[in-house]
Each structure stands twice: as C-alpha cells, then as structure tokens.
Amino acid sequence: MASQIMLDVASKFSRSGESPRESPRSSRPRSGSLSTGVRQGDRAQRRAFDANAAAGGAPFDVLDIGGGFCGGFDAAGTAAVSASGDATVAAAVNAALDLSFPASDFPGLDVIAEPGRYFAEAAASLCCRVVGERHRSRADVGAPPEPEAQYWITDGVYGAFNAIIYDGWLPHAVVVDDPRRAHGAGDAGGRGAGAALTTVFGPTCDSLDVVFSRVRNAPPLRRDDWLLFPCCGAYTSAGAADFNGIPATAAAGVETRYVRSDSMRCTADDDALGLLYSDKPPMEIIRYCD
C-alpha cells in the first residue's frame, strides 16, 4: 500500500523508526499507543514498534492506521472497493496488517482507524454546469501550436475542488449533455470539434483556478452541458471559500440537494457517457517538507 501514497502526512503525524524515547508521550506507565498509518508505510511503523521494545518502553497496544481510505462502488454497485477497484479496502488493510503486524507477534494489539473519507466519499456527486467556452491555439515551449477547447464551469479550486491542491486529487468527470438540447433548446454550439486539447477552468479570476489542463482525447463539450464528478462526499465543499465574490459555502447560501438512488449499478447508458480525466495535475504543486 505504500506505493499508493499521494501525500506524506507521516512527516507530521507518525513515526518512521526513530527512537521512541525521542518523541513526546512515547510510553505510558502500563501501556502505550502509536498513531501511524498503514498507508504511510506499514513496515516503517513495525520498525517503530520494534525500536520501542528494544529500548525497554512500555509495550504499544494500540495501532492507529489513520484514514484516507477511498470508498466507492464497482460496476455491480457493490460498496467498499479500493481506489484501484481491485480489492476491498478491508482486504487491503488486512493484508498489510498480516504482513507487518501478524497476530502471532502482536496478540493483544488493538487496531483502530479514522475512516471518515471511506464512509463519506462515495455518498455524494458534484454536478457543475459548463458556463463558458472558447477555442484557440496554444503551443508548449518548443512545440507547434495545437487547437485547444477551453471551458469554464461553476466550481473550482476555491470551492469543492480545493482537494486538487490540498490532497493531490485527480478528479474525473462524466459528461452529461444539456437535456434541453434533445427538445431543440439550449446551446447548439460546435462541441469542441477538431480540438486536440481540452482545458476546464473554475469560475474565479485566479489563473490557477484550473480543474483539467490540456487533456488529450477528451470527450467534446458544449456550453450548458454538465460535468458530473462522482465520489465528492469528502474533503470537497468542507474546504470551500467564498473567494472572488462567488458563493461556495453554506454560509453564503449554497444549498446541498440530496437525490436518492435505489442502486449504484452501472447501466449501458452510463457506460456510453463520455469521461473526462487526466493522470496529471492541472498545475504543478511543490511542497517543501524537511
């Protein structure tokens, strides 16, 4: 699981094998605990346990594996798949614990977690309308210009997409046509025809308010289409700010609307919808950490 780490919170919240006596509150008169994270590198945390035992510290009897576990649904609508979709979160956590904290070595160890994201993430989707569109040619340094379709949507990094900056989130969006167009209404624009690249901006004046940047082979869009972002129930609107006079919080009057679904199973109509995604962040974020 260590290979899937996106943010190194271990530098702030857990130990990576230093002497337990160098950390405050490393032991208690009868027992001890270690706040760590399986996702932060469970073998490093095992070394911390071993170092504490070698130093004669009170035995650690609680392991806090932290949070950050993704929640979601597979194509059949089954809950609790991992972000990669190849295992349940519980199975992945148990496999990591069996490897580094086998019950034979730690028979009395209590393992706790903080699964806020796991329970909340898949419970909500975010819908953003495409409110602006333009087409131009842009060139990277040393490369010829290419046609690019650029769009503006109703939310951005100062709103629900703050996790792009804080969490290294790479969102994906399902393209939903403006339903009015089926009845001869709405914008009948060019749908980004011929554009090699697609960029999606947030609504503010900040040039860094970008949700997708120069994505190749993106599905075409038009003004008044919608982008539906699944799995937005955690760390989205909770970190929003009413920047630039654009309301993004409940305090500014933004309402959350709840729609009940009987099933999360994917249908043939769902599979036919275009998907907008990039495996590269829309801007370069450099974090300085000692």
Side-chain angles (χ1 to χ4, degrees), residues 5-280:
I5 294 172
M6 296 184 65
L7 296 175
D8 180 18
V9 302
S11 60
K12 182 176 183 180
F13 293 112
S14 71
R15 303 192 193 123
S16 295
E18 77 275 15
S19 170
R21 297 197 182 279
E22 295 176 2
S23 297
R25 301 176 63 185
S26 64
S27 61
R28 300 175 183 175
R30 292 189 299 106
S31 63
S33 64
L34 180 66
S35 178
T36 140
V38 169
R39 70 187 190 283
Q40 299 304 325
D42 41 290
R43 290 174 184 152
Q45 310 311 335
R46 171 61 190 265
R47 289 197 296 271
F49 268 65
D50 293 342
N52 176 68
F60 290 135
D61 57 7
V62 176
L63 174 67
D64 182 353
I65 64 172
F69 306 112
C70 294
F73 300 91
D74 62 16
T78 303
V81 297
S82 66
S84 61
D86 58 0
T88 67
V89 169
V93 168
N94 286 334
L97 291 173
D98 287 342
L99 177 65
S100 295
F101 295 93
S104 57
D105 293 346
F106 300 92
L109 183 64
D110 289 329
V111 180
I112 63 174
E114 304 160 36
R117 179 190 294 273
Y118 174 72
F119 287 117
E121 186 171 62
S125 297
L126 174 67
C127 296
C128 299
R129 192 161 67 95
V130 179
V131 295
E133 174 184 358
R134 75 178 175 188
H135 301 269
R136 64 193 306 191
S137 292
R138 288 180 62 192
D140 287 326
V141 176
E146 295 181 276
E148 179 176 336
Q150 298 180 336
Y151 304 93
W152 281 257
I153 61 175
T154 52
D155 208 337
V157 298
Y158 286 93
F161 295 98
N162 63 86
I164 290 176
I165 295 176
Y166 295 126
D167 288 352
W169 181 32
L170 298 175
H172 65 279
V174 177
V175 179
V176 181
D177 290 349
D178 177 6
R180 300 173 300 170
R181 205 170 291 124
H183 302 285
D187 185 3
R191 265 188 100 76
L197 302 167
T198 295
T199 292
V200 176
F201 296 109
T204 71
C205 67
D206 191 341
S207 61
L208 292 180
D209 192 0
V210 186
V211 179
F212 296 103
S213 179
R214 298 173 68 79
V215 180
R216 292 193 178 275
N217 303 315
L221 293 170
R222 283 181 289 196
R223 188 164 59 89
D224 290 330
D225 284 345
W226 290 81
L227 294 182
L228 185 150
F229 295 85
C231 296
C232 286
Y235 301 104
T236 48
S237 59
D242 301 317
F243 171 72
N244 214 191
I246 299 175
T249 67
V254 175
E255 297 182 355
T256 300
R257 300 184 184 275
Y258 295 93
V259 180
R260 182 179 179 274
S261 176
D262 290 330
S263 172
M264 296 302 294
R265 183 186 301 273
C266 288
T267 67
D269 290 339
D270 295 332
D271 292 336
L273 295 172
L275 185 67
L276 180 58
Y277 174 75
S278 176
D279 60 358
K280 297 180 180 179

